[in-house]
């Protein structure tokens, strides 16, 4: 079950061109030859350049626009096209993830005998375009990262037109010679103030067994862990929520 994861310098060089001279010393004449024409420099590029850490892929559906970063294959932004931040006519469309959220959301941890820091790992994808439109056909965007011991981690997002639901499949593929044992954790993250809910609830919540658990922002440090069967977890604001729901739930 998913568990919540906890967050050129330029150098100047000076050359001293002055040197003490002896006025009585004879002046020696030296022949100076013009420097030969330098050969042109050829800059080479690797055949397979590595992934760009700052690459972000934007996916547009009819209902929302989502941005996923190559770092951690994390969700950096979700903008709802049919809702706005305020009632003003010129208000921006509703953003569900605060821009100050460290690392984004839908973060992943993978732990076997070592704690792989995949939250900050750079994932690759076979998508050549950075902007993708989702029409009547669903689209799958797969991100991959390989650890130093030959384990490939995949996060595959599937987007659908006409729905706010996003499918997420996480796969651990062992391409090494030794068996591995470990566990995977997923986490939601967002920045919220203590009074974000107004008269309603705002903060992390979840259906743990038969009980709905809600943790107020001001009490979050006092409630670091809730045990039980996790049916779903979410982060609620006053009118919206983002959730992780296991497929078998």
């Amino acid at each position: 079950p998913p568990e919540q994861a906890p967050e050129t310098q330029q150098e100047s060089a000076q050359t001293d061109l002055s040197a003490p001279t002896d006025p009585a010393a004879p002046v020696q004449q030296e022949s100076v030859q013009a420097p030969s024409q330098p050969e042109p420099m050829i800059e080479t590029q690797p055949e397979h350049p590595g992934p760009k850490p700052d690459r972000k892929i934007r996916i547009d559906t009819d209902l929302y626009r989502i941005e996923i970063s190559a770092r951690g294959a994390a969700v950096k932004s979700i903008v709802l096209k049919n809702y706005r931040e305020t009632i003003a006519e010129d208000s921006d469309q509703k953003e569900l993830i605060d821009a100050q959220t460290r690392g984004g959301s839908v973060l992943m941890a993978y732990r076997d005998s070592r704690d792989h820091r995949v939250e900050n790992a750079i994932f690759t994808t076979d998508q050549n375009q950075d902007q993708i439109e989702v029409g009547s056909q669903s689209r799958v965007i797969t991100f991959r990262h390989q650890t130093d011991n030959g384990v490939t981690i995949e996060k595959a997002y599937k987007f659908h037109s006409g729905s706010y639901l996003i499918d997420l499949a996480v796969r651990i593929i062992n391409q090494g010679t030794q068996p591995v044992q470990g566990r995977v954790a997923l986490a939601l993250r967002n920045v919220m103030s203590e009074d974000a809910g107004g008269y309603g609830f705002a903060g992390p919540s979840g259906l743990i067994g038969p009980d709905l658990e809600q943790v107020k922002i001001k009490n979050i440090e006092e409630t670091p862990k809730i045990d039980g069967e996790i049916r779903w977890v979410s982060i609620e604001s006053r009118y919206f929520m983002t959730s992780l729901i296991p497929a078998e739930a």
Side-chain angles (χ1 to χ4, degrees):
E3 65 180 32
Q4 279 201 311
E7 139 148 278
T8 65
Q9 180 177 359
Q10 294 181 344
E11 296 182 356
S12 59
Q14 295 182 348
T15 304
D16 188 1
L17 298 179
S18 64
T21 59
D22 184 356
V27 178
Q28 296 181 353
Q29 295 183 350
E30 296 181 356
S31 59
V32 179
Q33 295 181 352
S36 58
Q37 187 70 19
E39 296 182 359
M41 296 181 64
I42 300 176
E43 183 178 356
T44 59
Q45 296 290 341
E47 293 183 6
H48 303 286
K52 298 179 180 179
D54 58 347
R55 184 186 182 192
K56 297 180 179 65
I57 296 180
R58 191 178 76 176
I59 299 97
D60 272 275
T61 77
D62 54 336
L63 298 178
Y64 61 87
R65 179 172 60 254
I66 185 171
E67 190 175 84
I68 302 176
S69 172
R71 186 175 296 279
V75 176
K76 301 289 288 187
S77 170
I78 304 175
V79 175
L80 304 180
K81 296 182 176 181
N82 295 331
Y83 299 90
R84 299 192 176 275
E85 295 286 354
T86 69
I87 61 174
E89 293 183 359
D90 58 349
S91 175
D92 293 335
Q93 293 174 325
K94 178 63 181 179
E95 170 66 70
L96 294 184
I97 300 178
D98 191 280
Q100 302 302 315
T101 303
R102 178 172 53 88
S105 190
V106 195
L107 301 168
M108 176 181 170
Y110 167 62
R111 300 181 180 92
D112 51 17
S113 57
R114 290 175 293 177
D115 186 7
H116 298 277
R117 299 294 179 179
V118 296
E119 176 181 329
N120 293 314
I122 304 304
F123 282 66
T124 60
T125 179
D126 53 6
Q127 296 292 326
N128 297 322
Q129 298 177 332
D130 289 344
Q131 296 189 16
I132 298 172
E133 297 281 344
V134 177
S136 58
Q137 299 294 324
S138 300
R139 291 289 299 268
V140 177
I141 313 296
T142 302
F143 295 83
R144 297 179 179 88
H145 170 71
Q146 188 171 36
T147 66
D148 53 6
N149 62 341
V151 174
T152 297
I153 300 170
E154 288 188 357
K155 291 176 74 174
Y157 295 88
K158 188 175 184 179
F159 306 95
H160 311 274
S161 176
S163 175
Y164 289 106
L165 293 177
I166 302 172
D167 298 335
L168 174 62
V170 176
R171 303 180 183 91
I172 307 298
I173 305 170
N174 182 18
Q175 297 177 318
T177 58
Q178 300 296 323
V180 294
Q181 291 183 344
R183 61 176 182 171
V184 174
L186 291 172
L188 297 175
R189 183 181 287 172
N190 210 347
V191 173
M192 304 180 71
S193 62
E194 290 189 7
D195 58 351
Y199 293 103
F201 172 79
S205 63
L207 185 62
I208 313 300
D211 300 321
L212 174 63
E213 300 285 352
Q214 294 179 322
V215 181
K216 294 182 179 180
I217 299 296
K218 63 180 181 180
N219 299 331
I220 199 165
E221 293 184 358
E222 303 172 4
T223 316
K225 184 178 179 181
I226 298 176
D227 294 319
E229 179 189 4
I230 300 176
R231 307 289 297 276
W232 53 261
V233 294
S234 72
I235 295 180
E236 298 182 47
S237 63
R238 186 172 183 181
Y239 299 112
F240 301 93
M241 65 188 298
T242 56
S243 303
L244 288 174
I245 308 171
E248 61 270 18

